[in-house]
């Protein structure tokens, strides 16, 4: 692994289903973030983690949960997907929190029908 | 929280001309302002950033200016080239120590006309 990866690349999901988006980084960055990108709305923060074992809510956390059991992994779970969660999801990491460069993953395109 | 507004939403310039994108922010405590570039179908990447202890920063053809009093900052691209075509996002850092976050603007789609 080099940098930050996300899986799956894309997914079509039926409403009401549970889904976990995976994010892994090998840069030993302390901070990790999940954003959703929607046309005309830019990047909106869903949840973040400043260090392993801690998480925080961003701007649009409802319907999503995260965990940070270790430094490398930061999965995002949709407990019961709804069509409004159709979006492109980006994971990012940083070695200096929000005050430094954030490195983004390639994104996951999620469609909820 | 922080509110970041970005203008314009779309911008077309002739190749070789300059492009300017402007952002305003609401939290006077914000002290870090990055700019990200996102090419079509790609991930956002940092192109330049500025901290509140300086008013201007340059890196080759791109520069960022910051006016803390007015709470606005701008991205300037000179001698534009076709590869500058992309969506550009500004952002501002806010929050208490240990819980700092970035709020992004809604993006500017820049098109360079050959």
């Amino acid at each position: 692994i080099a940098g930050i990866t996300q899986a799956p690349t894309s997914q079509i999901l039926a409403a009401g289903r549970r889904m976990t988006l995976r994010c892994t980084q090998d840069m030993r960055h302390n901070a990790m973030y999940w954003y959703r990108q929607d046309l005309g709305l830019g990047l909106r923060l869903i949840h973040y983690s400043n260090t392993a074992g801690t998480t925080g809510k961003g701007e649009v956390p409802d319907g999503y949960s995260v965990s940070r059991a270790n430094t490398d992994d930061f999965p995002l779970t949709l407990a019961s997907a709804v069509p409004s969660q159709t979006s492109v999801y980006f994971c990012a990491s940083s070695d200096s929190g929000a005050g430094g460069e954030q490195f983004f993953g390639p994104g996951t395109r999620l469609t909820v029908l | 929280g922080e509110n970041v507004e970005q203008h314009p939403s779309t911008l077309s310039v002739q190749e070789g001309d300059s492009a300017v994108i402007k952002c305003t922010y609401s939290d006077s405590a914000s002290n870090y302002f990055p700019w990200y570039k996102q090419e079509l179908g790609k991930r956002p990447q940092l192109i330049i950033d500025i901290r509140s202890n300086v008013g201007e920063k340059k890196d080759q053809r791109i520069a960022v200016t910051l006016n803390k009093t007015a709470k606005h900052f701008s991205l300037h691209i000179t001698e534009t080239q076709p590869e500058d075509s992309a969506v550009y996002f500004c952002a501002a850092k806010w929050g208490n120590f240990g819980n700092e976050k970035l709020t992004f603007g809604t993006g500017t789609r820049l098109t360079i006309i050959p």
Side-chain angles (χ1 to χ4, degrees), chain B residues 48-71:
Chain B
I48 196 167
D49 56 14
I50 191 168
R51 301 187 187 275
S52 59
N53 57 343
V54 297
E56 183 176 6
K57 183 177 179 180
K58 290 183 179 180
D59 183 3
Q60 300 182 354
R61 295 187 298 107
I62 61 173
V64 57
T65 58
L66 171 65
N67 184 325
K68 283 196 65 179
T69 302
K71 290 189 284 188

PDB file of all heavy atoms in Angstrom, chain B residues 48-71:
ATOM      1  N   ILE B  48      -1.460  25.143  -2.573  1.00  0.00           N
ATOM      2  CA  ILE B  48      -0.806  26.214  -1.840  1.00  0.00           C
ATOM      3  C   ILE B  48      -1.598  26.473  -0.571  1.00  0.00           C
ATOM      4  O   ILE B  48      -2.802  26.179  -0.523  1.00  0.00           O
ATOM      5  CB  ILE B  48      -0.684  27.497  -2.692  1.00  0.00           C
ATOM      6  CG1 ILE B  48       0.328  28.485  -2.083  1.00  0.00           C
ATOM      7  CG2 ILE B  48      -2.032  28.161  -2.901  1.00  0.00           C
ATOM      8  CD1 ILE B  48       0.720  29.626  -3.020  1.00  0.00           C
ATOM      9  N   ASP B  49      -0.952  26.984   0.448  1.00  0.00           N
ATOM     10  CA  ASP B  49      -1.651  27.335   1.675  1.00  0.00           C
ATOM     11  C   ASP B  49      -1.010  28.574   2.288  1.00  0.00           C
ATOM     12  O   ASP B  49       0.103  28.957   1.910  1.00  0.00           O
ATOM     13  CB  ASP B  49      -1.678  26.173   2.680  1.00  0.00           C
ATOM     14  CG  ASP B  49      -0.278  25.657   3.027  1.00  0.00           C
ATOM     15  OD1 ASP B  49       0.726  26.329   2.719  1.00  0.00           O
ATOM     16  OD2 ASP B  49      -0.184  24.548   3.605  1.00  0.00           O
ATOM     17  N   ILE B  50      -1.726  29.202   3.196  1.00  0.00           N
ATOM     18  CA  ILE B  50      -1.209  30.403   3.842  1.00  0.00           C
ATOM     19  C   ILE B  50      -1.651  30.408   5.290  1.00  0.00           C
ATOM     20  O   ILE B  50      -2.752  29.957   5.610  1.00  0.00           O
ATOM     21  CB  ILE B  50      -1.667  31.682   3.094  1.00  0.00           C
ATOM     22  CG1 ILE B  50      -0.911  32.908   3.622  1.00  0.00           C
ATOM     23  CG2 ILE B  50      -3.175  31.878   3.196  1.00  0.00           C
ATOM     24  CD1 ILE B  50      -1.088  34.141   2.741  1.00  0.00           C
ATOM     25  N   ARG B  51      -0.794  30.898   6.144  1.00  0.00           N
ATOM     26  CA  ARG B  51      -1.122  31.013   7.562  1.00  0.00           C
ATOM     27  C   ARG B  51      -1.331  32.477   7.890  1.00  0.00           C
ATOM     28  O   ARG B  51      -0.852  33.358   7.175  1.00  0.00           O
ATOM     29  CB  ARG B  51      -0.020  30.389   8.413  1.00  0.00           C
ATOM     30  CG  ARG B  51       0.178  28.923   8.071  1.00  0.00           C
ATOM     31  CD  ARG B  51       1.126  28.171   8.969  1.00  0.00           C
ATOM     32  NE  ARG B  51       1.343  26.829   8.407  1.00  0.00           N
ATOM     33  CZ  ARG B  51       0.541  25.790   8.620  1.00  0.00           C
ATOM     34  NH1 ARG B  51      -0.526  25.939   9.374  1.00  0.00           N
ATOM     35  NH2 ARG B  51       0.796  24.614   8.072  1.00  0.00           N
ATOM     36  N   SER B  52      -2.005  32.733   8.980  1.00  0.00           N
ATOM     37  CA  SER B  52      -2.464  34.093   9.255  1.00  0.00           C
ATOM     38  C   SER B  52      -1.356  35.054   9.643  1.00  0.00           C
ATOM     39  O   SER B  52      -1.608  36.246   9.793  1.00  0.00           O
ATOM     40  CB  SER B  52      -3.537  34.075  10.340  1.00  0.00           C
ATOM     41  OG  SER B  52      -3.021  33.500  11.520  1.00  0.00           O
ATOM     42  N   ASN B  53      -0.138  34.573   9.795  1.00  0.00           N
ATOM     43  CA  ASN B  53       0.952  35.478  10.149  1.00  0.00           C
ATOM     44  C   ASN B  53       1.637  36.085   8.920  1.00  0.00           C
ATOM     45  O   ASN B  53       2.607  36.832   9.045  1.00  0.00           O
ATOM     46  CB  ASN B  53       1.984  34.772  11.026  1.00  0.00           C
ATOM     47  CG  ASN B  53       2.548  33.527  10.366  1.00  0.00           C
ATOM     48  OD1 ASN B  53       1.979  32.998   9.422  1.00  0.00           O
ATOM     49  ND2 ASN B  53       3.668  33.053  10.873  1.00  0.00           N
ATOM     50  N   VAL B  54       1.133  35.745   7.713  1.00  0.00           N
ATOM     51  CA  VAL B  54       1.666  36.340   6.488  1.00  0.00           C
ATOM     52  C   VAL B  54       0.503  36.839   5.644  1.00  0.00           C
ATOM     53  O   VAL B  54      -0.627  36.371   5.791  1.00  0.00           O
ATOM     54  CB  VAL B  54       2.515  35.352   5.673  1.00  0.00           C
ATOM     55  CG1 VAL B  54       3.736  34.926   6.464  1.00  0.00           C
ATOM     56  CG2 VAL B  54       1.708  34.148   5.266  1.00  0.00           C
ATOM     57  N   GLY B  55       0.790  37.799   4.749  1.00  0.00           N
ATOM     58  CA  GLY B  55      -0.268  38.364   3.931  1.00  0.00           C
ATOM     59  C   GLY B  55      -0.286  37.813   2.514  1.00  0.00           C
ATOM     60  O   GLY B  55      -1.304  37.912   1.842  1.00  0.00           O
ATOM     61  N   GLU B  56       0.844  37.235   2.088  1.00  0.00           N
ATOM     62  CA  GLU B  56       0.907  36.742   0.724  1.00  0.00           C
ATOM     63  C   GLU B  56       1.939  35.621   0.636  1.00  0.00           C
ATOM     64  O   GLU B  56       2.944  35.615   1.351  1.00  0.00           O
ATOM     65  CB  GLU B  56       1.294  37.871  -0.238  1.00  0.00           C
ATOM     66  CG  GLU B  56       1.307  37.451  -1.701  1.00  0.00           C
ATOM     67  CD  GLU B  56       1.597  38.603  -2.652  1.00  0.00           C
ATOM     68  OE1 GLU B  56       1.892  39.705  -2.172  1.00  0.00           O
ATOM     69  OE2 GLU B  56       1.519  38.391  -3.874  1.00  0.00           O
ATOM     70  N   LYS B  57       1.657  34.683  -0.246  1.00  0.00           N
ATOM     71  CA  LYS B  57       2.585  33.581  -0.472  1.00  0.00           C
ATOM     72  C   LYS B  57       2.548  33.226  -1.951  1.00  0.00           C
ATOM     73  O   LYS B  57       1.461  33.174  -2.540  1.00  0.00           O
ATOM     74  CB  LYS B  57       2.196  32.374   0.385  1.00  0.00           C
ATOM     75  CG  LYS B  57       3.134  31.178   0.276  1.00  0.00           C
ATOM     76  CD  LYS B  57       2.664  30.081   1.224  1.00  0.00           C
ATOM     77  CE  LYS B  57       3.545  28.846   1.146  1.00  0.00           C
ATOM     78  NZ  LYS B  57       3.066  27.783   2.077  1.00  0.00           N
ATOM     79  N   LYS B  58       3.725  33.012  -2.536  1.00  0.00           N
ATOM     80  CA  LYS B  58       3.794  32.697  -3.961  1.00  0.00           C
ATOM     81  C   LYS B  58       4.500  31.376  -4.187  1.00  0.00           C
ATOM     82  O   LYS B  58       5.403  31.001  -3.440  1.00  0.00           O
ATOM     83  CB  LYS B  58       4.539  33.797  -4.705  1.00  0.00           C
ATOM     84  CG  LYS B  58       3.815  35.114  -4.823  1.00  0.00           C
ATOM     85  CD  LYS B  58       4.630  36.107  -5.662  1.00  0.00           C
ATOM     86  CE  LYS B  58       3.895  37.421  -5.789  1.00  0.00           C
ATOM     87  NZ  LYS B  58       4.663  38.402  -6.596  1.00  0.00           N
ATOM     88  N   ASP B  59       4.071  30.683  -5.237  1.00  0.00           N
ATOM     89  CA  ASP B  59       4.754  29.462  -5.673  1.00  0.00           C
ATOM     90  C   ASP B  59       4.629  29.411  -7.186  1.00  0.00           C
ATOM     91  O   ASP B  59       3.616  28.999  -7.722  1.00  0.00           O
ATOM     92  CB  ASP B  59       4.119  28.227  -5.030  1.00  0.00           C
ATOM     93  CG  ASP B  59       4.850  26.952  -5.415  1.00  0.00           C
ATOM     94  OD1 ASP B  59       5.868  27.019  -6.128  1.00  0.00           O
ATOM     95  OD2 ASP B  59       4.396  25.870  -4.993  1.00  0.00           O
ATOM     96  N   GLN B  60       5.667  29.890  -7.845  1.00  0.00           N
ATOM     97  CA  GLN B  60       5.702  29.956  -9.308  1.00  0.00           C
ATOM     98  C   GLN B  60       4.524  30.772  -9.823  1.00  0.00           C
ATOM     99  O   GLN B  60       4.444  31.963  -9.554  1.00  0.00           O
ATOM    100  CB  GLN B  60       5.762  28.552  -9.890  1.00  0.00           C
ATOM    101  CG  GLN B  60       6.998  27.784  -9.446  1.00  0.00           C
ATOM    102  CD  GLN B  60       7.102  26.394 -10.057  1.00  0.00           C
ATOM    103  OE1 GLN B  60       6.213  25.903 -10.743  1.00  0.00           O
ATOM    104  NE2 GLN B  60       8.222  25.736  -9.818  1.00  0.00           N
ATOM    105  N   ARG B  61       3.587  30.158 -10.555  1.00  0.00           N
ATOM    106  CA  ARG B  61       2.498  30.929 -11.159  1.00  0.00           C
ATOM    107  C   ARG B  61       1.305  31.125 -10.242  1.00  0.00           C
ATOM    108  O   ARG B  61       0.333  31.783 -10.619  1.00  0.00           O
ATOM    109  CB  ARG B  61       2.030  30.236 -12.445  1.00  0.00           C
ATOM    110  CG  ARG B  61       3.070  30.202 -13.554  1.00  0.00           C
ATOM    111  CD  ARG B  61       2.459  29.642 -14.837  1.00  0.00           C
ATOM    112  NE  ARG B  61       1.990  28.265 -14.675  1.00  0.00           N
ATOM    113  CZ  ARG B  61       0.713  27.910 -14.608  1.00  0.00           C
ATOM    114  NH1 ARG B  61      -0.247  28.835 -14.688  1.00  0.00           N
ATOM    115  NH2 ARG B  61       0.381  26.640 -14.480  1.00  0.00           N
ATOM    116  N   ILE B  62       1.319  30.542  -9.074  1.00  0.00           N
ATOM    117  CA  ILE B  62       0.179  30.698  -8.175  1.00  0.00           C
ATOM    118  C   ILE B  62       0.577  31.491  -6.940  1.00  0.00           C
ATOM    119  O   ILE B  62       1.732  31.439  -6.496  1.00  0.00           O
ATOM    120  CB  ILE B  62      -0.429  29.339  -7.781  1.00  0.00           C
ATOM    121  CG1 ILE B  62       0.588  28.472  -7.051  1.00  0.00           C
ATOM    122  CG2 ILE B  62      -0.985  28.623  -8.984  1.00  0.00           C
ATOM    123  CD1 ILE B  62      -0.021  27.198  -6.493  1.00  0.00           C
ATOM    124  N   ALA B  63      -0.378  32.232  -6.430  1.00  0.00           N
ATOM    125  CA  ALA B  63      -0.160  33.033  -5.231  1.00  0.00           C
ATOM    126  C   ALA B  63      -1.460  33.086  -4.457  1.00  0.00           C
ATOM    127  O   ALA B  63      -2.553  32.944  -5.019  1.00  0.00           O
ATOM    128  CB  ALA B  63       0.296  34.439  -5.596  1.00  0.00           C
ATOM    129  N   VAL B  64      -1.326  33.263  -3.165  1.00  0.00           N
ATOM    130  CA  VAL B  64      -2.500  33.440  -2.312  1.00  0.00           C
ATOM    131  C   VAL B  64      -2.281  34.678  -1.462  1.00  0.00           C
ATOM    132  O   VAL B  64      -1.171  34.927  -0.980  1.00  0.00           O
ATOM    133  CB  VAL B  64      -2.755  32.184  -1.438  1.00  0.00           C
ATOM    134  CG1 VAL B  64      -1.556  31.850  -0.594  1.00  0.00           C
ATOM    135  CG2 VAL B  64      -3.988  32.361  -0.598  1.00  0.00           C
ATOM    136  N   THR B  65      -3.323  35.483  -1.322  1.00  0.00           N
ATOM    137  CA  THR B  65      -3.276  36.662  -0.477  1.00  0.00           C
ATOM    138  C   THR B  65      -4.303  36.520   0.623  1.00  0.00           C
ATOM    139  O   THR B  65      -5.355  35.883   0.435  1.00  0.00           O
ATOM    140  CB  THR B  65      -3.563  37.935  -1.292  1.00  0.00           C
ATOM    141  OG1 THR B  65      -4.843  37.826  -1.911  1.00  0.00           O
ATOM    142  CG2 THR B  65      -2.501  38.144  -2.365  1.00  0.00           C
ATOM    143  N   LEU B  66      -4.016  37.095   1.774  1.00  0.00           N
ATOM    144  CA  LEU B  66      -4.903  37.001   2.934  1.00  0.00           C
ATOM    145  C   LEU B  66      -5.092  38.380   3.537  1.00  0.00           C
ATOM    146  O   LEU B  66      -4.120  39.097   3.790  1.00  0.00           O
ATOM    147  CB  LEU B  66      -4.299  36.055   3.976  1.00  0.00           C
ATOM    148  CG  LEU B  66      -4.987  35.996   5.336  1.00  0.00           C
ATOM    149  CD1 LEU B  66      -6.403  35.435   5.210  1.00  0.00           C
ATOM    150  CD2 LEU B  66      -4.170  35.170   6.320  1.00  0.00           C
ATOM    151  N   ASN B  67      -6.332  38.744   3.777  1.00  0.00           N
ATOM    152  CA  ASN B  67      -6.679  39.978   4.479  1.00  0.00           C
ATOM    153  C   ASN B  67      -7.450  39.580   5.728  1.00  0.00           C
ATOM    154  O   ASN B  67      -8.649  39.297   5.673  1.00  0.00           O
ATOM    155  CB  ASN B  67      -7.517  40.884   3.576  1.00  0.00           C
ATOM    156  CG  ASN B  67      -7.833  42.224   4.232  1.00  0.00           C
ATOM    157  OD1 ASN B  67      -8.035  42.309   5.449  1.00  0.00           O
ATOM    158  ND2 ASN B  67      -7.896  43.264   3.434  1.00  0.00           N
ATOM    159  N   LYS B  68      -6.754  39.534   6.863  1.00  0.00           N
ATOM    160  CA  LYS B  68      -7.382  39.076   8.101  1.00  0.00           C
ATOM    161  C   LYS B  68      -8.456  40.041   8.590  1.00  0.00           C
ATOM    162  O   LYS B  68      -9.457  39.622   9.160  1.00  0.00           O
ATOM    163  CB  LYS B  68      -6.326  38.886   9.181  1.00  0.00           C
ATOM    164  CG  LYS B  68      -5.493  37.632   9.056  1.00  0.00           C
ATOM    165  CD  LYS B  68      -4.773  37.341  10.357  1.00  0.00           C
ATOM    166  CE  LYS B  68      -5.771  37.011  11.466  1.00  0.00           C
ATOM    167  NZ  LYS B  68      -5.070  36.688  12.749  1.00  0.00           N
ATOM    168  N   THR B  69      -8.228  41.310   8.385  1.00  0.00           N
ATOM    169  CA  THR B  69      -9.197  42.301   8.853  1.00  0.00           C
ATOM    170  C   THR B  69     -10.535  42.112   8.157  1.00  0.00           C
ATOM    171  O   THR B  69     -11.594  42.138   8.789  1.00  0.00           O
ATOM    172  CB  THR B  69      -8.671  43.720   8.608  1.00  0.00           C
ATOM    173  OG1 THR B  69      -7.420  43.869   9.286  1.00  0.00           O
ATOM    174  CG2 THR B  69      -9.657  44.763   9.113  1.00  0.00           C
ATOM    175  N   ALA B  70     -10.473  41.906   6.854  1.00  0.00           N
ATOM    176  CA  ALA B  70     -11.689  41.744   6.068  1.00  0.00           C
ATOM    177  C   ALA B  70     -12.158  40.294   6.044  1.00  0.00           C
ATOM    178  O   ALA B  70     -13.241  40.006   5.532  1.00  0.00           O
ATOM    179  CB  ALA B  70     -11.451  42.240   4.652  1.00  0.00           C
ATOM    180  N   LYS B  71     -11.364  39.389   6.543  1.00  0.00           N
ATOM    181  CA  LYS B  71     -11.652  37.957   6.553  1.00  0.00           C
ATOM    182  C   LYS B  71     -11.898  37.433   5.144  1.00  0.00           C
ATOM    183  O   LYS B  71     -12.940  36.806   4.865  1.00  0.00           O
ATOM    184  CB  LYS B  71     -12.816  37.641   7.505  1.00  0.00           C
ATOM    185  CG  LYS B  71     -12.425  37.819   8.981  1.00  0.00           C
ATOM    186  CD  LYS B  71     -13.491  37.305   9.938  1.00  0.00           C
ATOM    187  CE  LYS B  71     -14.640  38.250  10.029  1.00  0.00           C
ATOM    188  NZ  LYS B  71     -15.613  37.901  11.067  1.00  0.00           N
TER     189      LYS B  71
END
